[in-house]
Amino acid sequence: MTLEEKVGQLFVMRVYGHSATAPDQADIDANLEELGVRTAAELIARYRVGGIIYFTWTHNTRDPHQIAALSNGIQKVSLDQPRGLPVLISTDQEYGAVARVGKPATLFPGAMALGAGGSREDARTVGRLGGAELRALGIRQDYSPVADVNVNPANPVIGVRSFGADPDAVAGLVTAEVKGYQSAGVAATAKHFPGHGDTAVDSHFGFPVITHSRELWSALDAVPFRAAIRAGIDSVMTAHIMVPALDPSGDPATLSRPILTGILREELGYDGLVVTDSLGMEGVRTKYGDDRVPVLALKAGVDQLLNPPSIDVAWHAVLNAVHGGELTEARLDESVLRVLRLKTKLGLLENPYVSDTGVDHTVGTAAHRRAADRIAERTTTLLVNEERLLPLSRRRTPRVLVVGADPASPSGTDGPPTTVLATALTELGFTATALSTGTAPSAEGIDNAVAAAGGVDAVVVGTYNVTATGSQKTLVERLVATGVPVVAIAIRNPYDVAQLPDVHAYLATYSWTDVELRAAARVIAGSARPRGRLPVAVQRADDPAKALYPIGYGLTY
């Protein structure tokens, strides 16, 4: 390989378009503006990138057959180059709140829902079936599972993407999901090392600082990563966070040799692939320029450089660092060999292509969808059930109003949540109507919901990150005051219940994807029992030092 080809193997890039060679004009324009090329084919020919990452917003994931064709097109273009190599195609398919490939692919419950279910077998099944679908689409590296231990309820970036707040429970589920993905021939990725679970800052937009001592880090954050390494994890993703106890220099972990080489490689004994989180995120760009970040990441011990803002700036920065002696070609060889070893392990060197038949036989099958539904039923968590309001009776409470938050749906779900819930309840024998009031209900919207509640037998309200002073809280309080039975559902973070002490019944679904909402509807209707247990503690609103509901809490009937 030439030096330029080695540099290219270290990059994993976004590219706009549904086709490797013939994207829509708008995507050509976006590629020219951001990447200086027109198509994925030109990106590969110019920079010989070793990886491509798929996003919804780059229009890579319209439908399964299109995704498979895009993957095949990318592989052909790369293999047609001189000394051509297959491309390692990746995506963020965590399920729950973060998914890039939507319907008709199967959408499984996300991490915190699985944490509530507590079943390692379910986590393994999600990895195995989800991994099989990704592989059928030509996606061989998944940036999942999240191994962060979410001990901070105010965490704006992890939250329900984590399995929970107990490090041993998280470790068991991480291990199971890793084994599931890798048994399906997809590289799993534990993220975000050394642990992003205790922060109130989103590293997309700022630079979080984790103040854990070395001892606390070892007993809490490190536990799931150690477990993933023991399970043979193929890749680990870095976090753009500062952890002074692990490296007092002020550098983000992504650029920290003491953390990535000293701890991850040498102390934890990990010799697999290390991939950065996106280099376009603010957390890695606050201290150094975009020309320094990729060089410092490689010096720290990284192997794959994910999605820098400018591929041209980053690619030339690495090349120039070798020419100037800051990086040796031998150092690049270490990472290139790890990339090639993983491509070999995944079978890409033998056959990188996928087939339409494989898509039809694997993606979104009835068996996979049934498995997702069964798993979701085991995750729905009942926190409040005054006077045994639930399950609702079709005879006594036939008319149901569904109101509440309708956040933008994760990729490829039916949505909006109020409509999904109302439709599911109607199919279960109720007469349900939907009235969206949003995540910040207006005074008029609240009045309309209260008026509509006067004509029904029960109200179901979806809440999404309720705050002490927000209008979602006002909406629920006004609905409770009508005297109509109110069932609330936390459709994202389970912490909402602490702000709404007077609600008659409260469920947590941990996400607002269809599979979780339909399962909640079955629990409300009594066709399924609530079986989930809180994987995080819910603190009291008036005294956050005390737990309102501890880890493991959950009612049933």
Side-chain angles (χ1 to χ4, degrees):
M1 297 172 66
T2 67
L3 175 59
E4 289 77 8
E5 289 163 0
K6 291 177 182 179
V7 171
Q9 280 298 301
L10 307 182
F11 283 93
V12 182
M13 276 305 296
R14 70 192 179 281
V15 64
Y16 290 86
H18 71 286
S19 164
T21 55
D24 295 340
Q25 186 60 49
D27 292 323
I28 291 174
D29 294 342
N31 283 328
L32 285 169
E33 181 179 351
E34 294 186 21
L35 310 175
V37 297
R38 294 164 51 84
T39 65
E42 290 184 11
L43 175 72
I44 291 166
R46 182 175 299 180
Y47 297 106
R48 302 300 293 272
V49 293
I52 296 282
I53 179 172
Y54 287 169
F55 292 107
T56 311
W57 52 269
T58 51
H59 309 140
N60 304 136
T61 57
R62 288 182 181 176
D63 65 75
H65 286 288
Q66 167 269 318
I67 298 170
L70 173 61
S71 298
N72 284 342
I74 285 170
Q75 300 295 2
K76 184 177 188 311
V77 166
S78 188
L79 290 167
D80 283 348
Q81 303 298 315
R83 297 170 301 281
L85 289 166
V87 174
L88 184 53
I89 297 172
S90 60
T91 199
D92 294 286
Q93 191 79 348
E94 299 173 11
Y95 298 108
V98 177
R100 311 302 186 195
V101 180
K103 288 178 64 178
T106 309
L107 288 168
F108 295 93
M112 193 171 284
L114 293 173
S119 167
R120 296 183 183 184
E121 185 56 39
D122 283 351
R124 185 193 294 258
T125 297
V126 169
R128 179 172 55 83
L129 301 185
E133 295 200 12
L134 292 176
R135 186 180 174 96
L137 300 172
I139 298 168
R140 301 295 188 92
Q141 184 179 25
D142 190 14
Y143 298 134
S144 185
V146 172
D148 303 316
V149 182
N150 198 78
V151 293
N152 188 340
N155 195 322
V157 65
I158 305 301
V160 294
R161 298 167 61 197
S162 162
F163 288 107
D166 178 88
D168 292 323
V170 171
L173 294 166
V174 164
T175 296
E177 200 164 283
V178 166
K179 290 180 176 177
Y181 276 118
Q182 295 188 179
S183 72
V186 168
T189 307
K191 64 185 186 185
H192 307 79
F193 190 82
H196 210 319
D198 188 8
T199 173
V201 175
D202 185 342
S203 52
H204 290 83
F205 309 109
F207 187 18
V209 179
I210 306 293
T211 57
H212 291 181
S213 67
R214 179 66 186 256
E215 292 72 27
L216 179 58
W217 173 82
S218 183
L220 182 75
D221 306 279
V223 174
F225 290 100
R226 286 196 200 100
I229 291 167
R230 285 196 301 270
I233 186 80
D234 281 324
S235 53
V236 171
M237 179 178 283
T238 68
H240 304 326
I241 56 174
M242 187 198 310
V243 190
L246 304 184
D247 179 0
S249 70
D251 285 344
T254 297
L255 309 182
S256 168
R257 186 169 178 82
I259 291 174
L260 298 187
T261 297
I263 295 175
L264 179 59
R265 295 271 191 226
E266 295 172 358
E267 288 187 26
L268 301 187
Y270 177 66
D271 191 39
L273 208 62
V274 175
V275 56
T276 70
D277 206 343
S278 170
L279 297 182
M281 292 166 59
E282 195 59 33
V284 79
R285 302 174 74 193
T286 55
K287 189 173 178 181
Y288 301 100
D290 291 340
D291 59 333
R292 294 297 300 149
V293 166
V295 176
L296 294 173
L298 291 170
K299 292 176 74 171
V302 158
D303 301 305
Q304 285 185 308
L305 302 161
L306 177 62
N307 203 25
S310 167
I311 179 65
D312 197 63
V313 168
W315 189 90
H316 279 102
V318 174
L319 188 65
N320 292 337
V322 177
H323 286 318
E326 186 176 8
L327 286 171
T328 65
E329 191 164 351
R331 168 66 192 89
L332 263 58
D333 288 347
E334 291 177 21
S335 291
V336 171
L337 282 170
R338 287 195 185 99
V339 171
L340 294 178
R341 277 204 301 263
L342 183 54
K343 289 181 178 182
T344 302
K345 177 183 177 181
L346 297 173
L348 283 167
L349 296 181
E350 295 175 5
N351 180 20
Y353 296 108
V354 293
S355 68
D356 284 336
T357 300
V359 171
D360 291 335
H361 288 173
T362 310
V363 179
T365 64
H368 288 188
R369 295 197 306 273
R370 285 194 299 270
D373 285 336
R374 288 194 301 269
I375 291 169
E377 284 183 359
R378 293 191 279 270
T379 68
T380 307
T381 307
L382 179 62
L383 300 175
V384 178
N385 195 20
E386 298 293 340
E387 299 179 10
R388 296 186 178 181
L389 172 60
L390 292 179
L392 293 182
S393 164
R394 298 167 187 79
R395 180 174 56 82
R396 292 190 303 273
T397 56
R399 298 169 301 166
V400 178
L401 173 68
V402 181
V403 303
D406 274 335
S409 290
S411 298
T413 63
D414 285 339
T418 53
T419 301
V420 173
L421 283 166
T423 300
L425 288 169
T426 298
E427 291 171 352
L428 290 162
F430 295 89
T431 302
T433 55
L435 176 64
S436 176
T437 49
T439 54
S442 65
E444 181 183 6
I446 293 172
D447 288 343
N448 290 340
V450 169
V456 299
D457 304 303
V459 176
V460 174
V461 55
T463 68
Y464 184 96
N465 297 354
V466 176
T467 62
T469 58
S471 56
Q472 285 190 74
K473 181 178 171 73
T474 304
L475 168 69
V476 177
E477 290 172 344
R478 290 276 306 279
L479 289 168
V480 170
T482 66
V484 178
V486 174
V487 179
I489 306 176
I491 63 173
R492 185 165 183 150
N493 291 314
Y495 312 112
D496 289 3
V497 65
Q499 300 294 342
L500 302 166
D502 298 324
V503 77
H504 305 121
Y506 219 120
L507 292 165
T509 63
Y510 311 98
S511 183
W512 59 110
T513 49
D514 303 349
V515 68
E516 281 128 327
L517 296 175
R518 290 195 307 266
R522 293 193 293 276
V523 167
I524 290 170
S527 62
R529 293 186 301 111
R531 296 166 64 180
R533 297 289 183 268
L534 279 174
V536 294
V538 175
Q539 281 81 17
R540 289 175 47 165
D542 58 350
D543 186 358
K546 296 180 180 178
L548 177 64
Y549 300 113
I551 292 175
Y553 181 85
L555 305 173
T556 192
Y557 41 78

